[in-house]
Amino acid sequence: MWALFIWVSLLLISITHWVYSWRNPKCRGRLPPGSMGFPLLGETIQFFKPNPTSDIPPFVKERVKKYGPIFKTNLVGRPVIVSTDADLSYFVFQQEGRCFQSWYPDTFTNIFGRNNVGSLHGFMYKYLKSMVLTLFGHDGLKKMLPQVEITASKRLELWSNQDSVELKDATASMIFDLTAKKLISHEPDKSSENLRANFVAFIQGLISFPFDIPGTAYHKCLQGREKAMKMLKSMLQERRKNPRKVPSDFFDYVIEEIQKEGTILTEDIALDLMFVLLFASFETTSLALTLAIKFLTDDPAVLKRLTEEHETILRNREDADSGLTWEEYKSMTYTFQFINETARLANIVPAIFRKTLRDIKFKDYTIPAGWAVMVCPPAVHLNPEKYKDPLVFNPSRWEGSKVTNASKHFMAFGGGMRFCVGTDFTKLQMAAFLHTLVTKYRWEEIKGGDILRTPGLQFPNGYHVRLHKKET
């Protein structure tokens, strides 16, 4: 009897000590305030709750009000410092490779692949980034501009002959087909397999609770990734067996790199790279375009000014029917203000993760080595101390601003060494699409749809419009 009592007492003491240690993690300094939540779960369930508003996610907003702009929590079993502080967030980006390195939870890594570009560091990351810039760099974009405009024109023509268009899906299809053609020469009309369908299944479960059980969104997500990867691997192997005499897409360039003597590029790394590029290029841009058109629909004054800029471009041409030139694209001052404001409010990447490489002292706090840091761009973009009426769409707030891509108060595309290499490609696609849309079409909203916001991504669902050609 006494033995049982002793064992039960020891068990209770152990559990109590474990719970206390969980709630009060060790630190050689002062940790930011916050709660570590329940043992094992932490605050994961609260974090994954959808955000039905355009404001800062409730999970973050409530804790900022309670603890301040820097607080601690625990997500998916990992201690995390959440930063809504512009200075700390900027410091995190600038100290990549010295104090911090890219990190994402295992659930994200399982989805995007162990060798995805976000999980690689140092020389390997710089090597892959330089590869991608051969496609999305300045020279590559200049060559792509005519094709991007032609693609937009054809799709808008197609949509104008339909009763209505669900914008998010329609723009995603347009951008995916264009990107897949540039990356892997994939043409859906000539393929027996629907590559994009696998990415749609993948996206629907991307931000979901990580239960890999048949029937769950997360399980479907992993299945979508597996099917897409099989298709990409099959394409890669076919290309290696039958190489093209003249390289014509990014896949050809990747294969050349793989076959070089002493290369550090493996098939697995190459396939994960292609997967991430396909996903990131169409999902983020289609989201931004859908919200951009929603903003234009709701604000006739902004639409009028944007239209005037693009009609001026047409009037200044010798041949009004000629395509966009690079000089015309670079002259779109208000368009770039409009895109910046769309990106600020869209918050395409609402959470960016890093991991500390050593103890970090910041202000009065210490962030222990090995902890994760979550930068929250929405909290920076919707800060009323920096942006007057932050929830109001106002492209004119960017007039005279020298900010083009990233700063301490604008991190829609990340920052530092890991600044998104596809940013200029996204802007090019949006500008070319908007040019054709506002000069040749008018539209009306048929169904407002819903914007479902989660800690990781936003999904504008069911936003329908009807397009009409303008009279010439």
Side-chain angles (χ1 to χ4, degrees):
M1 186 70 179
W2 275 105
L4 178 61
F5 175 77
I6 291 171
W7 277 109
V8 171
S9 298
L10 289 173
L11 180 61
L12 288 174
I13 291 170
S14 297
I15 292 174
T16 302
H17 176 73
W18 177 59
V19 171
Y20 178 83
S21 299
W22 177 277
R23 291 182 176 275
N24 301 274
K26 292 180 180 180
C27 174
R28 289 177 291 190
R30 181 187 172 211
L31 277 169
S35 170
M36 305 305 284
F38 293 105
L40 299 180
L41 272 178
E43 296 188 303
T44 307
I45 294 176
Q46 299 96 313
F47 177 76
F48 275 104
K49 284 183 179 178
N51 175 17
T53 75
S54 298
D55 206 344
I56 300 166
F59 174 86
V60 174
K61 194 170 186 178
E62 292 165 8
R63 285 157 182 77
V64 168
K65 187 176 181 180
K66 187 174 182 180
Y67 303 119
I70 304 171
F71 62 89
K72 69 176 182 286
T73 184
N74 188 291
L75 305 174
V76 292
R78 182 87 182 217
V80 179
I81 298 297
V82 178
S83 171
T84 68
D85 182 280
D87 291 327
L88 175 56
S89 299
Y90 186 73
F91 175 72
V92 169
F93 290 142
Q94 297 306 310
Q95 292 298 314
E96 172 80 26
R98 292 184 287 272
C99 300
F100 304 91
Q101 70 178 25
S102 181
W103 173 86
Y104 282 88
D106 287 343
T107 51
F108 276 63
T109 306
N110 292 338
I111 291 170
F112 285 109
R114 294 283 166 186
N115 295 301
N116 80 80
V117 66
S119 298
L120 298 174
H121 311 288
F123 177 76
M124 193 68 208
Y125 170 75
K126 292 178 182 178
Y127 170 71
L128 291 182
K129 184 176 180 178
S130 67
M131 285 181 60
V132 176
L133 284 173
T134 61
L135 180 66
F136 295 135
H138 178 268
D139 292 339
L141 293 179
K142 285 185 74 172
K143 293 176 183 176
M144 262 194 271
L145 178 57
Q147 188 176 357
V148 171
E149 185 187 14
I150 289 170
T151 299
S153 297
K154 287 181 177 179
R155 289 302 173 103
L156 285 165
E157 173 77 24
L158 177 66
W159 299 344
S160 69
N161 292 317
Q162 299 175 7
D163 290 336
S164 69
V165 176
E166 200 285 302
L167 270 178
K168 175 60 173 62
D169 184 67
T171 53
S173 174
M174 173 186 70
I175 296 164
F176 184 87
D177 290 349
L178 171 66
T179 308
K181 186 172 183 178
K182 297 300 295 182
L183 289 173
I184 57 178
S185 296
H186 178 75
E187 297 188 45
D189 296 340
K190 299 178 182 178
S191 175
S192 60
E193 297 182 273
N194 190 338
L195 180 60
R196 181 172 171 262
N198 294 318
F199 276 89
V200 171
F202 165 81
I203 290 164
Q204 289 172 347
L206 179 60
I207 305 300
S208 58
F209 209 81
F211 286 139
D212 187 10
I213 302 170
T216 63
Y218 185 70
H219 181 74
K220 293 176 182 177
C221 177
L222 293 178
Q223 284 186 316
R225 169 185 164 78
E226 184 179 356
K227 291 177 182 177
M229 290 298 286
K230 281 183 178 178
M231 290 182 68
L232 290 173
K233 188 170 184 177
S234 176
M235 292 178 191
L236 178 63
Q237 291 175 341
E238 177 63 28
R239 291 281 190 92
R240 294 191 73 172
K241 289 179 183 176
N242 302 289
R244 298 177 179 181
K245 292 181 180 179
V246 180
S248 59
D249 61 20
F250 189 65
F251 228 161
D252 289 330
Y253 175 70
V254 168
I255 290 168
E256 283 185 0
E257 289 292 311
I258 291 175
Q259 294 175 336
K260 286 181 179 178
E261 187 175 347
T263 183
I264 60 172
L265 185 64
T266 65
E267 269 199 15
D268 288 341
I269 293 175
L271 289 170
D272 277 346
L273 175 64
M274 302 303 290
F275 182 87
V276 169
L277 288 177
L278 281 167
F279 166 75
S281 60
F282 87 93
E283 179 57 23
T284 55
T285 308
S286 61
L287 164 63
L289 269 178
T290 302
L291 292 175
I293 294 170
K294 173 65 175 170
F295 292 143
L296 286 174
T297 306
D298 294 342
D299 197 328
V302 172
L303 174 59
K304 182 174 183 293
R305 186 169 174 185
L306 187 71
T307 304
E308 286 173 350
E309 177 169 88
H310 289 274
E311 288 182 342
T312 298
I313 289 174
L314 296 183
R315 284 196 300 270
N316 290 338
R317 286 180 184 168
E318 291 185 9
D319 179 3
D321 294 325
S322 62
L324 269 175
T325 66
W326 186 253
E327 290 70 27
E328 289 172 342
Y329 166 65
K330 298 301 287 186
S331 74
M332 298 175 182
T333 305
Y334 187 70
T335 301
F336 292 126
Q337 293 173 16
F338 175 85
I339 291 172
N340 267 4
E341 183 70 347
T342 300
R344 182 186 71 84
L345 280 178
N347 287 306
I348 296 170
V349 184
I352 301 172
F353 288 93
R354 295 291 186 266
K355 182 176 73 174
T356 55
L357 298 175
R358 57 180 175 82
D359 284 1
I360 304 297
K361 301 284 185 180
F362 186 82
K363 295 183 178 178
D364 296 330
Y365 301 128
T366 296
I367 306 174
W371 277 47
V373 177
M374 188 188 93
V375 172
C376 184
V380 175
H381 297 158
L382 302 177
N383 183 353
E385 294 180 6
K386 177 61 182 176
Y387 297 101
K388 183 181 177 182
D389 300 323
L391 291 175
V392 173
F393 184 77
N394 178 21
S396 295
R397 72 170 82 240
W398 296 93
E399 283 183 7
S401 171
K402 294 181 180 179
V403 174
T404 55
N405 284 328
S407 73
K408 189 180 292 186
H409 299 285
F410 184 64
M411 46 191 68
F413 305 100
M417 187 176 76
R418 288 184 180 267
F419 178 78
C420 177
V421 294
T423 299
D424 290 334
F425 182 45
T426 294
K427 291 184 175 184
L428 181 83
Q429 290 180 94
M430 291 185 69
F433 182 89
L434 291 169
H435 173 75
T436 306
L437 176 69
V438 301
T439 56
K440 296 183 178 180
Y441 296 89
R442 55 185 176 83
W443 67 93
E444 56 188 310
E445 183 179 292
I446 302 300
K447 183 180 177 184
D450 299 306
I451 306 294
L452 174 62
R453 299 171 185 265
T454 73
L457 286 175
Q458 305 168 33
F459 299 94
N461 294 318
Y463 183 59
H464 290 75
V465 298
R466 181 180 293 131
L467 272 73
H468 307 277
K469 271 192 171 182
K470 288 184 177 181
E471 294 181 6
T472 56

